[in-house]
C-alpha cells in the first residue's frame, strides 16, 4: 500500500480536498500496518490561512478542524521590522525568524547583521507573531539598542504595539484549536 502522500502545491480552495484525502486514509489499515502520512511541502500555510473565510474560500472553521493539526517538520518564517528611537539613527531596522526542525522546539532567532542568527528564545510552543516581535524587541532592549520598557512608558509602548498583535487564527477564540502551536 501507499505509505506517504506528498502535497506539493495547493491553493486555499484545494485544501479541503487534502482534508478529504486525510479522512479517507486515516481509517486503520486491515493488515495492522501504520496509516499513511500526508506531507505538505512548502505550502505556505500561514499565507493560505489568511484567505480562509473570504468569499469562494473555505470557512475559518477549517483552521480549527484541520489545518491546526498539521505539524511543521521544518518551519522557517522570517519577518522584518522597524522601530523609531529618540536618538540617532532614529530608526532601527531589525529582523529575525521563527525556526523549527522537528522534533526540536521553536526558536526565535535575531539576525545579527553579519549573516548569522542568534537564538533569543526556545519553546515547545510556537509563538504568535506579536509574541515573536516582542521577543526580538526584548533582545534588542537587553543589548541596549532600544530603551527599556520602563523608560518609554506604558502609553507609548501601547501606541507602538497597538491593540491587535495577533492574526485571527492565533487569537484565543471559543472552541478554537491551539494545536497549531505544537
Amino acid at each position: 500500500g501507499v505509505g506517504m502522500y506528498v502535497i506539493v502545491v495547493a491553493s486555499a480552495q484545494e485544501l479541503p480536498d487534502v482534508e478529504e484525502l486525510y479522512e479517507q486514509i486515516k481509517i486503520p489499515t486491515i493488515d495492522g500496518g501504520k496509516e499513511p502520512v500526508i506531507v505538505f511541502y512548502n505550502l505556505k500555510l500561514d499565507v493560505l490561512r489568511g484567505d480562509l473565510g473570504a468569499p469562494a474560500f473555505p470557512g475559518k472553521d477549517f483552521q480549527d478542524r484541520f489545518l491546526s493539526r498539521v505539524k511543521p517538520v521544518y518551519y522557517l518564517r522570517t519577518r522584518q521590522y522597524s522601530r523609531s528611537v529618540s536618538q540617532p539613527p532614529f530608526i532601527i531596522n531589525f529582523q529575525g525568524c521563527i525556526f523549527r526542525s522537528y522534533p526540536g522546539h521553536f526558536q526565535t532567532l535575531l539576525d545579527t547583521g553579519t549573516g548569522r542568527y542568534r537564538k533569543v528564545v526556545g519553546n515547545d510552543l510556537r509563538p504568535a507573531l506579536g509574541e515573536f516581535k516582542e521577543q526580538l524587541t526584548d533582545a534588542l532592549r537587553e543589548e541596549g539598542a532600544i530603551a527599556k520598557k520602563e523608560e518609554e512608558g506604558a502609553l507609548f509602548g501601547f501606541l507602538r504595539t497597538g491593540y491587535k498583535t495577533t492574526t485571527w487564527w492565533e487569537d484565543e477564540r471559543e472552541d478554537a484549536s491551539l494545536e497549531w502551536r505544537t
Side-chain angles (χ1 to χ4, degrees), residues 1-176:
V2 176
M4 179 184 300
Y5 293 88
V6 179
I7 309 298
V8 178
V9 176
S11 67
Q13 291 99 335
E14 295 167 322
L15 288 174
D17 295 334
V18 179
E19 180 186 28
E20 186 177 326
L21 171 65
Y22 171 75
E23 293 297 330
Q24 290 175 9
I25 67 172
K26 76 176 187 178
I27 300 166
T29 58
I30 296 170
D31 62 2
K34 289 185 174 183
E35 64 184 47
V37 291
I38 300 176
V39 175
F40 291 68
Y41 183 76
N42 199 25
L43 289 187
K44 298 184 179 183
L45 291 180
D46 290 346
V47 174
L48 297 180
R49 282 180 175 106
D51 293 333
L52 298 179
F57 289 89
K60 289 185 175 185
D61 64 316
F62 186 72
Q63 160 64 22
D64 299 315
R65 187 179 70 243
F66 181 67
L67 284 187
S68 65
R69 297 186 297 183
V70 174
K71 302 293 179 215
V73 174
Y74 185 82
Y75 184 82
L76 180 66
R77 181 160 189 182
T78 59
R79 304 304 273 174
Q80 297 176 339
Y81 301 102
S82 294
R83 184 170 179 108
S84 59
V85 292
S86 60
Q87 307 165 16
F90 301 111
I91 297 281
I92 294 179
N93 296 312
F94 61 101
Q95 62 186 14
C97 67
I98 302 173
F99 173 76
R100 180 188 199 182
S101 180
Y102 188 83
H105 58 264
F106 288 95
Q107 300 176 54
T108 296
L109 305 174
L110 177 64
D111 186 335
T112 62
T114 62
R116 297 179 162 257
Y117 286 87
R118 177 175 64 86
K119 182 177 173 183
V120 174
V121 178
N123 199 321
D124 289 333
L125 297 178
R126 176 178 154 187
L129 285 180
E131 182 182 353
F132 163 69
K133 181 179 180 183
E134 190 62 30
Q135 290 169 346
L136 294 178
T137 304
D138 287 346
L140 292 173
R141 283 188 180 108
E142 289 173 15
E143 292 176 358
I146 59 175
K148 303 277 185 210
K149 281 186 179 182
E150 314 76 64
E151 295 170 10
E152 74 178 9
L155 176 62
F156 192 62
F158 173 78
L159 293 173
R160 202 181 268 295
T161 58
Y163 168 72
K164 184 84 170 145
T165 60
T166 58
T167 60
W168 70 265
W169 53 271
E170 295 173 328
D171 287 339
E172 290 186 25
R173 297 169 280 116
E174 189 175 326
D175 299 325

